[in-house]
Amino acid sequence: MTAASPARPLVSVLESSRELVAPALQDAVRRYLSPRMGQVASYHHGWSDADGRPTGRWGGKLVRPALALLSARAAGHAQEAGVPAAVAVELVHNFSLLHDDIMDDDTKRRGRATAWTVFGVPNALLAGDALLTAATSVLLDSDGADPRSATAWLMTATQRMITGQTADIEFERRGDVTLAECVRMAGDKTGALLSCACSLGAALVGADTALVDRLAAFGEHVGLAFQLVDDLLGIWGDPATTGKAAGADLVARKKSLPVVAALQAASSTELWELYSGEEPLTEAEVARAAALVERDGGRDWALTEAARQIDAARECLAAADVPRAVGVDLAQVASFVVGREF
Amino acid sequence: MTAASPARPLVSVLESSRELVAPALQDAVRRYLSPRMGQVASYHHGWSDADGRPTGRWGGKLVRPALALLSARAAGHAQEAGVPAAVAVELVHNFSLLHDDIMDDDTKRRGRATAWTVFGVPNALLAGDALLTAATSVLLDSDGADPRSATAWLMTATQRMITGQTADIEFERRGDVTLAECVRMAGDKTGALLSCACSLGAALVGADTALVDRLAAFGEHVGLAFQLVDDLLGIWGDPATTGKAAGADLVARKKSLPVVAALQAASSTELWELYSGEEPLTEAEVARAAALVERDGGRDWALTEAARQIDAARECLAAADVPRAVGVDLAQVASFVVGREF
């Protein structure tokens, strides 16, 4: 599909959508949130520092908004028609980050102190609530052809995301989690919102259900591929590229997808033992755990599954029959989402 | 207005709406929430105990849903048409309770352990998120004439509620809060959702804006009257009736409306001093503080203001020109919301 297309470079796809979405995102925060909540949200997005001084930065790569704009174009509309969808998806994404950071007790995000450490848990929690509420308002107040369906669709994705986060918390405590459960959890936690991003612009402009469904399925597969790659990076990623410690997920005894896949092997007794301990793993134990995940098939399974998801995404995109240039851009942004080096 | 009307007793108004709304509320939780989130929500609502066993109770008085049903009737529809509005308002109310209990570190609600103490902060936080998301879905999936406007209206109220809760947290830390700021905060925190409850059923069935606005204004005044009375009870309420310790708000040095009104008096130096201390107030000091709030005019102001809000509510209801029987029921439920003994 990419062969004959006059492909825009990825950077220009992302930049052109950022130029459109970033000001609209800031407008939405100004319009719907109280000044205090706006301050917390601006800090969280990276637009301002803790004292409210502008940083001059957009904050984030805004890949979900880029996908939402492309989905409006996929339905034959100008990307401008997808802006409310792009803004709403990004607001929901940031609602979930604000709340996740509180739940996970995370003190750093994108290299900065998390909002709850700066403004306190109540303000960060309320700012998350305010962003979720604003996301709904942005869509409903838009002049898209079908704001009702689009909003209902975004809420379904949000509910799945909440289900995924709930399962993630539960699974860290349970010893008997199956690989199928983990894959479903990844689909809910990561796939649902990417799926929505890839289809919400189309839903908003009133595209037919078949197109919306195919774009959604495309995004769902992209989301799973992203999670698989992210999990591989959490074990074998280069700290210089990932910004995390070597084997970070193993250090945290995280039941990531490759680990759970390996734990299902008959030979995984030693890995089970390392994961059952309470003491922090030594550097040697982390290296040993990585070797065991590889030996017990977790790495191969994740690589194969990621490739399978990417193939499935490509098939969905082909079946969606979108304008050629849009398909190229969608594939490019999707590759960018998935394709970190590892 | 009440003189010639064949008034239903209050208890029958509340019971008939509860019979309609409670099953729909449980259906919504089952339909939109994951089983785990449903468990947390069921516990929080009082439908089940911590192990998921049914309690056989409805949970709560469901006054907001009753008002929402009445607002559908106010627009000339059967109360059944207001059910999605009633469910959505109650879901938003419970979303806010779940999150408020986390923020305020409250361990008891309605005589039971709060959800976060039973299921942990992450699950209670996520259950709140799930209820807010479900509230939107319930309205959008309904077959009301105007689910889009109704949902946008509910989101506006929710955003105001968040603004009010933010201000409440901020005011407890600030020394220079004005009475006007506190009244606005009470309007946002308490008035907004009651206002929405009184008008959302009408908005959902597609009533004209004038009616929706008047019902909303009615609810706004009822909400402020409720808060004023609640604040009076927080100082002079009978512990046997309120279920709280005598002078509970003073013990907590809460800047409730009568206190802030009194603090504005030129003579309030002694009250300021009592409120500036760090040590827990003795029983004698609590009694003295209550006497000072009264001497400095806080009690009279709150009583007068509550009466003024009730009058204003009555005027809005009269101007709304709703069917006589509906007006009687609305006035009865509103009296029940406001009129605790004190």
Side-chain angles (χ1 to χ4, degrees), chain B residues 85-268:
Chain B
V87 170
V89 161
E90 189 65 12
L91 291 173
V92 168
H93 176 54
N94 283 288
F95 136 76
S96 77
L97 296 182
L98 278 163
H99 284 190
D100 284 2
D101 284 343
I102 295 172
M103 285 180 262
D104 301 342
D105 235 356
D106 279 333
T107 56
K108 291 276 174 191
R109 155 134 354 244
R110 300 167 185 156
R112 303 161 78 226
T114 46
W116 70 268
T117 67
V118 176
F119 300 97
V121 166
N123 278 313
L125 202 168
L126 287 165
D129 294 344
L131 291 183
L132 174 57
T133 306
T136 302
S137 295
V138 165
L139 280 182
L140 292 171
D141 292 349
S142 78
D143 54 7
D146 197 354
R148 179 184 177 180
S149 299
T151 311
W153 183 220
L154 181 63
M155 290 303 105
T156 302
T158 304
Q159 201 66 260
R160 278 187 65 199
M161 210 169 56
I162 293 166
T163 301
Q165 172 70 1
T166 312
D168 199 9
I169 291 166
E170 189 200 331
F171 290 178
E172 291 301 322
R173 286 181 201 146
R174 260 177 54 193
D176 59 344
V177 183
T178 67
L179 186 56
E181 283 180 312
C182 283
V183 171
R184 196 182 320 127
M185 185 269 278
D188 287 340
K189 193 174 169 180
T190 311
L193 196 64
L194 270 167
S195 168
C196 190
C198 290
S199 52
L200 193 66
L204 182 62
V205 299
D208 66 72
T209 318
L211 176 62
V212 174
D213 287 350
R214 279 177 180 139
L215 289 169
F218 165 75
E220 185 87 27
H221 291 301
V222 170
L224 277 172
F226 160 77
Q227 193 57 62
L228 287 156
V229 171
D230 201 53
D231 283 358
L232 285 163
L233 288 169
I235 301 177
W236 293 283
D238 177 0
T241 317
T242 63
K244 293 181 194 168
D249 285 355
L250 298 175
V251 175
R253 286 196 176 85
K254 202 179 150 196
K255 285 177 195 145
S256 65
L257 290 164
V259 172
V260 176
L263 286 172
Q264 306 229 315
S267 55
S268 66

Side-chain angles (χ1 to χ4, degrees), chain A residues 99 129 140 142 148 159, chain B residues 32 99 129 140 142 148 159:
Chain A
H99 283 189
D129 294 344
L140 291 171
S142 79
R148 179 184 178 178
Q159 200 68 260
Chain B
Y32 294 109
H99 284 190
D129 294 344
L140 292 171
S142 78
R148 179 184 177 180
Q159 201 66 260

